[in-house]
């Protein structure tokens, strides 16, 4: 079983729709990243969370530490939001390591 | 806005050859990371580096791999004798501090081993 699970794996939406991508993890973490990977392969960091909620433009990220769950929301989606969205967690001391573990990503396609 | 840069963008090499992938971190960043993404698979942690030594490495990072900061600016990943299965995208990331500090990713180097 993957320590970081994302859902859905693939998502197609119409322009303007509200989108939610979920990330669940089964390990102790010190931080969670949401990353965006463009078709060319480049990775951009969107958010880093250790608690609560963050907002940047049309993107909102939330994390519930007790439930070991995070969500990434995109409001008023646009075709340029089409990318793979990756959840990555930084393990904490309980795991004996501080390395990052990545989810398999959610491939989002927004249609005009 | 400062950014992490990587060279080359694409490297093609023959099996058994040595390759060096280079990363220039953001100037005030002290923590450096290498990640690998095999085509169609998820990103995997390779190694973290701080204060001129490896902080942590994964099981992927075997004796064929090494990292260094040869001149205090570049951060390099060397693969001593490449194998076909080393073909992947290699990403460098840097952070100002460890822990909850955000990592900034470079654009990646696509390594193709023939």
């Amino acid at each position: 079983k993957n320590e970081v699970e994302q859902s859905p794996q693939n998502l197609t939406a119409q322009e303007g729709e509200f989108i939610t991508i979920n990330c669940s993890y089964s390990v102790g973490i010190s931080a969670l990243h949401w990353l965006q990977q463009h078709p060319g392969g480049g990775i951009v960091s969107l958010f880093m969370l250790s608690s609560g909620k963050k907002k940047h433009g049309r993107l909102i990220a939330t994390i519930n530490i007790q439930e070991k769950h995070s969500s990434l929301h995109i409001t008023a989606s646009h075709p340029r939001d089409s990318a793979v969205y990756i959840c990555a967690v930084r393990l904490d001391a309980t795991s004996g390591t501080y390395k990052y573990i990545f989810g398999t990503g959610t491939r989002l396609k927004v249609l005009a | 806005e400062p950014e992490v840069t990587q060279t080359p963008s694409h490297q093609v090499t023959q099996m058994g050859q040595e390759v060096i992938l280079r990363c220039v971190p953001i100037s005030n960043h002290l923590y450096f990371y290498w990640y690998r993404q095999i085509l169609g698979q998820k990103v995997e942690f390779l190694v973290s580096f701080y204060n001129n030594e490896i902080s942590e490495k994964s099981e992927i990072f075997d004796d064929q791999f090494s990292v260094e900061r040869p001149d205090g600016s570049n951060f390099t990943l060397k693969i001593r004798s490449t194998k076909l299965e080393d073909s992947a995208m290699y990403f460098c990331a840097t952070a100002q501090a460890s822990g909850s500090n955000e990592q900034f990713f470079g654009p990646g180097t696509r390594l193709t081993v023939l």
Side-chain angles (χ1 to χ4, degrees), chain B residues 70-86:
Chain B
D71 55 11
S73 58
N74 288 291
F75 175 52
T76 63
L77 174 68
K78 182 191 291 185
I79 309 175
R80 192 164 56 210
S81 177
T82 50
K83 303 188 281 283
L84 295 176
E85 53 266 36
D86 293 327

Side-chain angles (χ1 to χ4, degrees), chain B residues 38-111:
Chain B
I38 294 170
L39 187 64
Q41 297 186 23
K42 64 180 181 179
V43 177
E44 299 171 291
F45 168 79
L46 290 178
V47 66
S48 58
F49 188 87
Y50 169 71
N51 200 26
N52 283 318
E53 59 183 35
I54 291 173
S55 308
E56 194 153 11
K57 59 184 181 179
S58 72
E59 55 278 2
I60 302 168
F61 195 88
D62 61 22
D63 292 344
Q64 294 297 316
F65 291 88
S66 62
V67 289
E68 63 175 358
R69 286 195 82 195
D71 55 11
S73 58
N74 288 291
F75 175 52
T76 63
L77 174 68
K78 182 191 291 185
I79 309 175
R80 192 164 56 210
S81 177
T82 50
K83 303 188 281 283
L84 295 176
E85 53 266 36
D86 293 327
S87 294
M89 195 79 160
Y90 288 81
F91 293 100
C92 169
T94 74
Q96 202 167 24
S98 70
S100 56
N101 229 253
E102 183 176 2
Q103 292 187 16
F104 292 81
F105 285 79
T109 292
R110 184 171 297 283
L111 176 65

Side-chain angles (χ1 to χ4, degrees), chain A residues 31-70:
Chain A
L32 183 145
H33 278 244
W34 280 104
L35 308 165
Q36 181 190 53
Q37 186 167 32
H38 294 284
I43 293 176
V44 174
S45 177
L46 298 175
F47 294 104
M48 192 188 62
L49 297 162
S50 53
S51 65
K53 176 179 172 178
K54 285 190 176 180
K55 184 176 190 292
H56 186 255
R58 295 181 294 107
L59 302 178
I60 303 166
T62 63
I63 187 168
N64 185 317
I65 298 295
Q66 286 73 31
E67 294 185 4
K68 296 192 172 183
H69 181 268
S70 176

Side-chain angles (χ1 to χ4, degrees), chain A residues 70-91:
Chain A
S70 176
S71 293
L72 176 68
H73 306 285
I74 305 174
T75 61
S77 59
H78 190 277
R80 64 175 175 266
D81 297 326
S82 299
V84 176
Y85 292 84
I86 301 171
C87 170
V89 300
R90 186 176 188 266
L91 302 180

